[in-house]
Each structure stands twice: as structure tokens, then as C-alpha cells.
Amino acid sequence: MTVNLRRALAASKPALARAALLSLYASGVPLFAPRSMKGMGTIFMLHRVREPDDTDFAPNRILEITPAFLEAVFLHVHERGMVCVTLDEAVRRIAEGDTSERFVTFTLDDGYRDNFTVAAPIFNRYRIPFTVYLATDLPDGTAELWWVVLERVIASANEMRVHFPTGDETFVTRTSSDKNAAWNAIYWRLRALGETALRAEVRRLAAEHGVDMRGVTRELSMSWQNVRDLATQPYASVEAHTASHVALAHMSVEDARTDIARGLARHKLELGRAPQHFSYPYGDPTSAGERDFALVSEFGFRSATTTRKGLIYPAHADGLMRLPRLSLNGDFQSLRILDVLMSGVPFAMAKAAGAQGID
Ligand SMILES: [Zn+2]
């Protein structure tokens, strides 16, 4: 069987990835994966939980799962004999090498309002612990959810002009297929500019096209009252995700430290406790690296999670500031694909093929 796993798991090739992972499922290989390959447990990453919009242009849909899929995952992990634990307990097991049973723990990044209105009631009904990693500028109403704003600009415009360092480029954005093509052409080029230039350009586009950035933040974020209510729920915990949701690696170490500290101060003031766990904004290798892992450990967090894809193995006891996660978001919303990923086989194959890891 030839499966190019780096390509298979690359987000830019979702159709190919799905096909490759489903072919692994059909092969039956994951059924025979040894326990050592399956690891000790899995930290799931989610963002939003809600019913999907009925639209053909929704590039940020990759950040969403449906309530029905979340419930299906609960039943699935239960049937597979895995236990759902708090993030605290997951980190204890990793730190102490407790492999008595395979665990899963659920984490939701950023602080979207649907975490409170849609996801929390589902977790509570099933009595399953979950953690929200909160970027405190969301409830403060000052966050720039630039990825949503860019989507809204493209959705509303028939044509748009983007300033790149190489010069202005104009995109026709009339039909859904135009809009998807424009998103694909613009998104990663803006990301590559770095956080400051990227945000400046999205701010300019928002102004030019009449999209209210602060309005988007207020519409989509939990309020502090929501966050406080959430934090008192028995199965919920609220942890840290910086203040402004910056890619730490794009900032000077002083600015990165200041942003983390500002988030901690807001968190303590509003919730009366210091967060114990941290999640890197974006969390991919270009957004958080060795310098940032060291910086975050200075703050005394018990753990920190990335968005690098992987299961948890005993060796992660030595990497508590760089724990991988498995995304429930996006293109892989399938229990069969989840089975393949949680077998550890794709990750072992990628490692055997000499990949640095599946990012
Ligand atoms: Zn985030």
C-alpha cells in the first residue's frame, strides 16, 4: 500500500487526505495496531460546535464540528474502552507515566460563544470534562478575529483588492467558487506576512468593505459573564491561550511575554484563579517553536498544547510544554478516520518514512 502521509494529512489536500486515511481504514491495518502504537491517550482539539450554515463559501467551517458529531465521538471513545478525563488528570497521567487505561481529554480553543451555549450543555449532559483555552481579548471584545473578518469581506464583496508586499492584486469574488478561490489565494499569503502586517491588511480590508471587526468579536465571543458561569460548571475548566491570540514566534520575546502576562492578569482578575495550562495560538511549527516552549515554561504552567497532530506517548513526560493534539475539526469529521488516527498507524508510518512529524 502506498500512502503518502505527509500529503495525506496536509490540510491543503483534504480530499486526498480523506481518501488516504479511509483506504487505511479499509485495509484493516488499524485493527491490528499494537498497544504501544496507540499510546496512552489523546488530547482532542476543537474550536466551535454548532449546526452548520447553509452556504457554499465557509472556509472557517474547518474550525467547527456539529453537536451530533461531538456526541458520536463520545459514544465512540466509550465503545473503544477509553476513559474521558480532565486536562489536569491527563497531564498527571502523562507526567507520572500512568498507562493503566487509555484516556481522552477534550479542549476547545479561543473562547467562542457557542462553547458556552452549545458545547457546554452537551458535555454536561454526558458528564464529560472539557477545557476551554481562552484568549482573553475575546471576552474583552478587543480581539481581532481576522480569519472570520477575511471570510466576511470575501463573502460580501464582488471584487476586492489586496495589498501584498509585491504589489496590489485584484480578485473577482462574485460566485461561491470565485470566493473559495480567492480565499485559497489570499489566506496563506497573508499568514506568511507575519501577525502585524497580516492584521493591518485585514483591518484595512474590513474598513474598505464595511465589515465591523469589533462587531464580529462581540457576536462570536463569550462574554466574561459567560466565562465565569462556565468556570463554575463541574465539568468545565478555563485555561490560557494568550491575550490577543498572537503567533508567539512572530513576535519579539518581550512582546510575546507581555501578551501572555496580560492574558494571565485578565484571567486572574475575572476568574479569581491563575490558569494552570496553556495552548499556543495557531500552534503550528511556524507559530510556536523552541523559544516559545521555553518562554511558556517560565510562567509555571503545568502543560502546554500545540496543534501538531499526534497521540500521547510515555515519552511526552519530557515534553509537557509541547503536547500534540488530534483535531476533531474540519476535514476529518468521520469516526472511521478517527479510528485510523487513534490507532497511531499514520503517525508511525510517517515517522518510519522519515518525516519530522505530521504537522
Ligand atoms: Zn486559537
Side-chain angles (χ1 to χ4, degrees):
M1 184 188 340
T2 54
V3 179
N4 183 331
L5 282 150
R6 276 202 84 74
R7 286 177 70 195
L9 292 173
S12 58
K13 302 277 185 196
L16 177 66
R18 270 189 78 82
L21 290 167
L22 285 170
S23 77
L24 255 183
Y25 179 84
S27 75
V29 167
L31 274 177
F32 304 105
R35 169 84 192 254
S36 61
M37 206 177 269
K38 293 178 179 172
M40 320 167 55
T42 301
I43 304 174
F44 285 126
M45 175 184 68
L46 298 77
H47 288 81
R48 306 189 62 189
V49 180
R50 63 169 189 151
E51 299 295 346
D53 279 342
D54 182 23
T55 166
D56 292 333
F57 174 64
N60 286 303
R61 194 176 280 154
I62 60 161
L63 298 176
E64 302 174 9
I65 66 167
T66 65
F69 184 63
L70 182 60
E71 291 184 273
V73 171
F74 291 168
L75 296 174
H76 189 76
V77 298
H78 178 72
E79 281 170 10
R80 294 286 183 279
M82 288 171 268
V83 57
C84 299
V85 300
T86 63
L87 182 59
D88 258 347
E89 171 62 10
V91 171
R92 183 198 68 75
R93 289 174 186 228
I94 301 165
E96 296 178 8
D98 179 351
T99 58
S100 53
E101 19 172 34
R102 286 170 75 207
F103 69 80
V104 301
T105 190
F106 292 86
T107 65
L108 298 90
D109 285 12
D110 300 347
Y112 295 101
R113 182 173 298 162
D114 53 54
N115 292 184
F116 179 70
T117 57
V118 180
I122 302 173
F123 281 106
N124 289 331
R125 195 178 330 128
Y126 285 83
R127 302 182 182 184
I128 290 178
F130 65 103
T131 296
V132 171
Y133 288 120
L134 179 72
T136 56
D137 279 2
L138 269 80
D140 274 338
T142 55
E144 294 181 314
L145 302 180
W146 64 265
W147 51 96
V148 181
V149 173
L150 181 62
E151 178 181 326
R152 299 261 173 111
V153 167
I154 296 175
S156 69
N158 285 322
E159 187 176 286
M160 60 190 285
R161 197 167 38 85
V162 182
H163 296 345
F164 292 112
T166 47
D168 288 6
E169 291 181 37
T170 300
F171 297 87
V172 175
T173 49
R174 268 176 216 289
T175 65
S176 293
S177 100
D178 290 342
K179 291 177 194 295
N180 281 306
W183 172 274
N184 291 331
I186 295 167
Y187 177 87
W188 283 106
R189 286 176 68 189
L190 288 182
R191 278 282 297 268
L193 298 180
E195 195 84 32
T196 306
L198 146 74
R199 288 187 183 218
E201 179 57 10
V202 174
R203 231 176 270 138
R204 192 196 64 74
L205 285 167
E208 189 170 297
H209 292 272
V211 175
D212 175 6
M213 281 190 95
R214 290 286 169 89
V216 168
T217 304
R218 285 192 299 273
E219 174 194 329
L220 296 184
S221 305
M222 281 191 279
S223 66
W224 277 114
Q225 188 58 51
N226 293 156
V227 177
R228 282 191 292 270
D229 287 353
L230 190 71
T232 62
Q233 294 178 5
Y235 296 99
S237 64
V238 182
E239 302 294 348
H241 196 44
T242 73
S244 68
H245 203 283
V246 283
L248 297 180
H250 295 183
M251 310 180 83
S252 71
V253 72
E254 293 78 19
D255 288 350
R257 185 181 283 120
T258 300
D259 202 86
I260 297 168
R262 187 164 65 81
L264 281 174
R266 292 293 296 126
H267 200 114
K268 281 189 222 170
L269 186 70
E270 297 287 348
L271 298 178
R273 76 176 266 281
Q276 304 293 306
H277 304 275
F278 182 87
S279 162
Y280 301 93
Y282 310 106
D284 62 286
T286 66
S287 304
E290 295 297 335
R291 184 204 74 174
D292 310 301
F293 302 152
L295 174 62
V296 165
S297 71
E298 284 175 19
F299 284 88
F301 290 111
R302 292 186 56 217
S303 76
T305 52
T306 67
T307 59
R308 290 151 165 89
K309 293 179 178 64
L311 308 179
I312 301 296
Y313 296 95
H316 285 112
D318 297 324
L320 292 175
M321 291 299 128
R322 53 192 310 160
L323 295 173
R325 290 188 285 176
L326 208 55
S327 174
L328 284 185
N329 297 165
D331 301 308
F332 301 135
Q333 290 194 36
S334 145
L335 295 178
R336 291 177 173 189
I337 288 178
L338 196 61
D339 250 354
V340 172
L341 292 170
M342 292 182 76
S343 72
V345 171
F347 306 108
M349 288 174 71
K351 202 171 173 189
Q356 292 293 311
I358 307 165
D359 301 317

